[in-house]
Amino acid sequence: MRLLAADADTVAALERVGARVGGVGVALVPEHRLAGVEREVAACLERGETVIVLAPGAKPVAGVVSTSTPEHGGRVITVAEPVVDAVRRADPEAARTLAAVLRAATTPVLPLRRVDGRLPDGRHVARYTRAPVGDA
Amino acid sequence: MTERRRDPVTGEWRTFATDRQDRTFLPAADQCPLCPTTDPARPTEIPWPAFDVVVFDNRFPSFVAEPGTPAVAAHGPFAVSPNAGAAEVVVYSDDHAASLGGLGRERIELLVDVWTDRYADLGARPEVGYVFVFENRGEAIGVTLHHPHGQIYGYPDVPPLPARELAAARAYHDAHGACVYCAAIAQERADAERVVAENGAFLAFVPFAARLPYEVHLAPKRHAASLLALRSDERRDFAGIIDDLLRAYDGLWGFPLPYVMAMHQAPTTGGDWSPISHLHVEFTPLHRRADRLKYLAGSELGGGAFLNDVAPEQAAKELRAAGRSGQNT
């Protein structure tokens, strides 16, 4: 495994389809800072950020191969390398897929029960209650 | 008329939503639009007889997902833009007489999770570049409805105050390779005399260079760019420190202290804000003593330079004492 180099093309491809990568707290480490990867990863995780790691050869079926939360904070998302390669080639469909899975993977699981609806004049309304234990 | 106009002198966008002039203004308790609907013949904004927390699109919005065409076109140095974005109302409780400080820790924990969900939801929308959670409490601040509630604006871009903070944070990061807010928190903890409350993950303090006499900031002690970066135990500590602060505020002079609560966190414009954005909440009461308000006047409104009548160390000392006495009652 190696750290995903957040080259400008990858970031631009993701942002074109609304990935909002920075906005959801993903740590993007520039290519020129790849030296000393272990220290960088540790620092990102200690700050509670998400680190994206490439898994060479992994099947790109779901885009994200695994998501884990280390005990000391942060999150590691392992992404199949072919998916990132497709994003770098500016394949819009691949970028959209990766953007969606990154958003889902970096949103915490909240112990909420949310019911969406519409008010009589069409405005959106959401009713929130605490989800029962085990129902988050 | 609903549109945004950019002031070419400052470069800031100003929002116009003239329909808001007719919004509901301090209705009697039995006419409150944020109470539950208990009589179907007299529906309120909320169509249920009871609820915990409800979020809905503001009836008098400053920003909407699909805005109309501005009334004027751009010309000369004047730029114009539609009011694209979001404006939501967050109702904290179905109890008309409650307030955020009196809801109890469990309800505030639920509210923190709701804010987190709204941040994720609104931040993913293409028309929203900054999710701004806030509350105005008390007539001194200008509330128009007393029922306990806050609001969320989804601005299309980063509003001026967070933008200034982020620019300063970027400059500090470039010079020192670290988050300026992390550095400030570390110094506040070391100095200790401006700390109002602290728990496992969060710190409440009167800032070293506070703008207003009893201004207090709440922030996670470790770097977290937004609500989405908080773990579940940290969200609980966030709720706990809000509860602690409001107990101190309400105990300070024996009445519910009016305030503006404003949450600053990572923009959702894209790009990597993580290294320089540090989630924090700014509480700014306008009182400078029990019977006097600190008005924003010549220096503050005309010059943008705040003059503060109370030393931050003294304000923190009073708030610590008020918090201790609040725990004993």
Side-chain angles (χ1 to χ4, degrees), chain B residues 130-150:
Chain B
Y130 194 90
V131 180
F132 183 62
V133 177
F134 67 101
E135 180 192 352
N136 302 321
R137 181 171 92 162
E139 286 185 39
I141 297 293
V143 297
T144 55
L145 298 172
H146 284 303
H147 196 110
H149 73 287

mmCIF file of all heavy atoms in Angstrom, chain B residues 130-150:
data_model
loop_
_atom_site.group_PDB
_atom_site.id
_atom_site.type_symbol
_atom_site.label_atom_id
_atom_site.label_comp_id
_atom_site.label_asym_id
_atom_site.label_seq_id
_atom_site.Cartn_x
_atom_site.Cartn_y
_atom_site.Cartn_z
ATOM 1 N N TYR B 130 -20.698 27.138 2.113
ATOM 2 C CA TYR B 130 -20.354 27.298 3.533
ATOM 3 C C TYR B 130 -21.615 27.062 4.361
ATOM 4 O O TYR B 130 -22.635 27.726 4.158
ATOM 5 C CB TYR B 130 -19.817 28.705 3.818
ATOM 6 C CG TYR B 130 -19.140 28.812 5.168
ATOM 7 C CD1 TYR B 130 -17.770 28.572 5.306
ATOM 8 C CD2 TYR B 130 -19.869 29.127 6.311
ATOM 9 C CE1 TYR B 130 -17.146 28.647 6.536
ATOM 10 C CE2 TYR B 130 -19.245 29.206 7.555
ATOM 11 C CZ TYR B 130 -17.881 28.971 7.651
ATOM 12 O OH TYR B 130 -17.254 29.040 8.883
ATOM 13 N N VAL B 131 -21.538 26.107 5.276
ATOM 14 C CA VAL B 131 -22.685 25.781 6.136
ATOM 15 C C VAL B 131 -22.497 26.510 7.467
ATOM 16 O O VAL B 131 -21.527 26.267 8.188
ATOM 17 C CB VAL B 131 -22.785 24.260 6.364
ATOM 18 C CG1 VAL B 131 -23.979 23.941 7.268
ATOM 19 C CG2 VAL B 131 -22.909 23.524 5.033
ATOM 20 N N PHE B 132 -23.416 27.410 7.753
ATOM 21 C CA PHE B 132 -23.276 28.293 8.918
ATOM 22 C C PHE B 132 -24.405 28.026 9.915
ATOM 23 O O PHE B 132 -25.565 28.360 9.661
ATOM 24 C CB PHE B 132 -23.310 29.746 8.443
ATOM 25 C CG PHE B 132 -23.107 30.773 9.519
ATOM 26 C CD1 PHE B 132 -21.927 30.824 10.252
ATOM 27 C CD2 PHE B 132 -24.091 31.711 9.800
ATOM 28 C CE1 PHE B 132 -21.735 31.778 11.238
ATOM 29 C CE2 PHE B 132 -23.908 32.681 10.788
ATOM 30 C CZ PHE B 132 -22.727 32.708 11.512
ATOM 31 N N VAL B 133 -24.049 27.411 11.031
ATOM 32 C CA VAL B 133 -25.014 27.114 12.097
ATOM 33 C C VAL B 133 -24.986 28.279 13.082
ATOM 34 O O VAL B 133 -23.906 28.681 13.531
ATOM 35 C CB VAL B 133 -24.613 25.812 12.825
ATOM 36 C CG1 VAL B 133 -25.571 25.530 13.985
ATOM 37 C CG2 VAL B 133 -24.575 24.638 11.857
ATOM 38 N N PHE B 134 -26.159 28.808 13.429
ATOM 39 C CA PHE B 134 -26.155 29.922 14.374
ATOM 40 C C PHE B 134 -27.458 29.999 15.149
ATOM 41 O O PHE B 134 -28.458 29.381 14.787
ATOM 42 C CB PHE B 134 -25.876 31.255 13.667
ATOM 43 C CG PHE B 134 -26.953 31.726 12.717
ATOM 44 C CD1 PHE B 134 -27.863 32.703 13.102
ATOM 45 C CD2 PHE B 134 -27.058 31.203 11.438
ATOM 46 C CE1 PHE B 134 -28.855 33.156 12.235
ATOM 47 C CE2 PHE B 134 -28.051 31.634 10.560
ATOM 48 C CZ PHE B 134 -28.945 32.622 10.955
ATOM 49 N N GLU B 135 -27.404 30.755 16.250
ATOM 50 C CA GLU B 135 -28.610 31.012 17.035
ATOM 51 C C GLU B 135 -28.566 32.451 17.523
ATOM 52 O O GLU B 135 -27.517 32.927 17.971
ATOM 53 C CB GLU B 135 -28.695 30.077 18.258
ATOM 54 C CG GLU B 135 -29.957 30.337 19.086
ATOM 55 C CD GLU B 135 -29.966 29.658 20.466
ATOM 56 O OE1 GLU B 135 -29.067 28.847 20.742
ATOM 57 O OE2 GLU B 135 -30.870 29.973 21.262
ATOM 58 N N ASN B 136 -29.706 33.129 17.430
ATOM 59 C CA ASN B 136 -29.863 34.438 18.070
ATOM 60 C C ASN B 136 -30.789 34.220 19.259
ATOM 61 O O ASN B 136 -31.894 33.716 19.094
ATOM 62 C CB ASN B 136 -30.518 35.440 17.114
ATOM 63 C CG ASN B 136 -29.723 35.607 15.833
ATOM 64 O OD1 ASN B 136 -28.502 35.631 15.858
ATOM 65 N ND2 ASN B 136 -30.420 35.711 14.718
ATOM 66 N N ARG B 137 -30.324 34.571 20.465
ATOM 67 C CA ARG B 137 -31.202 34.389 21.625
ATOM 68 C C ARG B 137 -31.446 35.725 22.310
ATOM 69 O O ARG B 137 -30.489 36.448 22.605
ATOM 70 C CB ARG B 137 -30.593 33.418 22.638
ATOM 71 C CG ARG B 137 -31.547 33.230 23.828
ATOM 72 C CD ARG B 137 -31.126 32.140 24.770
ATOM 73 N NE ARG B 137 -30.307 32.647 25.844
ATOM 74 C CZ ARG B 137 -30.091 31.996 26.989
ATOM 75 N NH1 ARG B 137 -30.608 30.809 27.179
ATOM 76 N NH2 ARG B 137 -29.318 32.509 27.913
ATOM 77 N N GLY B 138 -32.710 36.022 22.606
ATOM 78 C CA GLY B 138 -33.061 37.200 23.392
ATOM 79 C C GLY B 138 -33.443 38.392 22.530
ATOM 80 O O GLY B 138 -32.912 38.605 21.440
ATOM 81 N N GLU B 139 -34.380 39.178 23.052
ATOM 82 C CA GLU B 139 -34.840 40.349 22.305
ATOM 83 C C GLU B 139 -33.726 41.374 22.134
ATOM 84 O O GLU B 139 -33.728 42.145 21.176
ATOM 85 C CB GLU B 139 -36.052 40.976 23.001
ATOM 86 C CG GLU B 139 -37.319 40.145 22.813
ATOM 87 C CD GLU B 139 -38.549 40.821 23.386
ATOM 88 O OE1 GLU B 139 -38.678 42.056 23.268
ATOM 89 O OE2 GLU B 139 -39.385 40.110 23.969
ATOM 90 N N ALA B 140 -32.771 41.405 23.079
ATOM 91 C CA ALA B 140 -31.666 42.353 22.950
ATOM 92 C C ALA B 140 -30.854 42.083 21.688
ATOM 93 O O ALA B 140 -30.225 42.978 21.124
ATOM 94 C CB ALA B 140 -30.759 42.272 24.176
ATOM 95 N N ILE B 141 -30.867 40.823 21.255
ATOM 96 C CA ILE B 141 -30.131 40.444 20.039
ATOM 97 C C ILE B 141 -30.991 40.685 18.803
ATOM 98 O O ILE B 141 -30.474 40.818 17.700
ATOM 99 C CB ILE B 141 -29.711 38.956 20.127
ATOM 100 C CG1 ILE B 141 -28.755 38.729 21.301
ATOM 101 C CG2 ILE B 141 -29.087 38.463 18.835
ATOM 102 C CD1 ILE B 141 -27.408 39.385 21.169
ATOM 103 N N GLY B 142 -32.325 40.676 18.996
ATOM 104 C CA GLY B 142 -33.198 40.912 17.852
ATOM 105 C C GLY B 142 -33.992 39.707 17.409
ATOM 106 O O GLY B 142 -34.407 39.630 16.249
ATOM 107 N N VAL B 143 -34.194 38.736 18.312
ATOM 108 C CA VAL B 143 -34.997 37.579 17.897
ATOM 109 C C VAL B 143 -36.429 38.024 17.594
ATOM 110 O O VAL B 143 -36.927 38.981 18.182
ATOM 111 C CB VAL B 143 -35.041 36.459 18.970
ATOM 112 C CG1 VAL B 143 -33.691 35.890 19.232
ATOM 113 C CG2 VAL B 143 -35.712 36.943 20.227
ATOM 114 N N THR B 144 -37.069 37.297 16.683
ATOM 115 C CA THR B 144 -38.460 37.598 16.347
ATOM 116 C C THR B 144 -39.394 36.499 16.828
ATOM 117 O O THR B 144 -40.606 36.655 16.765
ATOM 118 C CB THR B 144 -38.620 37.794 14.828
ATOM 119 O OG1 THR B 144 -38.108 36.633 14.169
ATOM 120 C CG2 THR B 144 -37.871 39.022 14.354
ATOM 121 N N LEU B 145 -38.822 35.357 17.264
ATOM 122 C CA LEU B 145 -39.624 34.257 17.809
ATOM 123 C C LEU B 145 -38.937 33.754 19.067
ATOM 124 O O LEU B 145 -37.727 33.483 19.048
ATOM 125 C CB LEU B 145 -39.719 33.102 16.796
ATOM 126 C CG LEU B 145 -40.403 33.402 15.459
ATOM 127 C CD1 LEU B 145 -40.244 32.209 14.509
ATOM 128 C CD2 LEU B 145 -41.878 33.730 15.654
ATOM 129 N N HIS B 146 -39.692 33.598 20.170
ATOM 130 C CA HIS B 146 -39.084 33.180 21.429
ATOM 131 C C HIS B 146 -38.902 31.674 21.548
ATOM 132 O O HIS B 146 -38.101 31.222 22.357
ATOM 133 C CB HIS B 146 -39.923 33.692 22.607
ATOM 134 C CG HIS B 146 -39.721 35.152 22.861
ATOM 135 N ND1 HIS B 146 -38.484 35.694 23.119
ATOM 136 C CD2 HIS B 146 -40.593 36.191 22.885
ATOM 137 C CE1 HIS B 146 -38.600 36.996 23.297
ATOM 138 N NE2 HIS B 146 -39.868 37.335 23.147
ATOM 139 N N HIS B 147 -39.667 30.896 20.794
ATOM 140 C CA HIS B 147 -39.562 29.435 20.873
ATOM 141 C C HIS B 147 -38.096 29.034 20.628
ATOM 142 O O HIS B 147 -37.457 29.542 19.708
ATOM 143 C CB HIS B 147 -40.471 28.813 19.808
ATOM 144 C CG HIS B 147 -40.734 27.372 20.021
ATOM 145 N ND1 HIS B 147 -41.965 26.880 20.398
ATOM 146 C CD2 HIS B 147 -39.917 26.287 19.945
ATOM 147 C CE1 HIS B 147 -41.885 25.560 20.519
ATOM 148 N NE2 HIS B 147 -40.648 25.183 20.245
ATOM 149 N N PRO B 148 -37.548 28.104 21.447
ATOM 150 C CA PRO B 148 -36.119 27.775 21.311
ATOM 151 C C PRO B 148 -35.774 27.206 19.928
ATOM 152 O O PRO B 148 -36.264 26.142 19.559
ATOM 153 C CB PRO B 148 -35.877 26.741 22.409
ATOM 154 C CG PRO B 148 -37.237 26.194 22.745
ATOM 155 C CD PRO B 148 -38.203 27.310 22.504
ATOM 156 N N HIS B 149 -34.974 27.935 19.205
ATOM 157 C CA HIS B 149 -34.616 27.502 17.856
ATOM 158 C C HIS B 149 -33.332 28.175 17.413
ATOM 159 O O HIS B 149 -32.912 29.192 17.969
ATOM 160 C CB HIS B 149 -35.736 27.834 16.856
ATOM 161 C CG HIS B 149 -35.840 29.298 16.519
ATOM 162 N ND1 HIS B 149 -36.339 30.230 17.407
ATOM 163 C CD2 HIS B 149 -35.506 29.995 15.398
ATOM 164 C CE1 HIS B 149 -36.315 31.430 16.840
ATOM 165 N NE2 HIS B 149 -35.805 31.322 15.633
ATOM 166 N N GLY B 150 -32.701 27.591 16.425
ATOM 167 C CA GLY B 150 -31.541 28.198 15.776
ATOM 168 C C GLY B 150 -31.776 28.176 14.278
ATOM 169 O O GLY B 150 -32.879 27.851 13.812
#
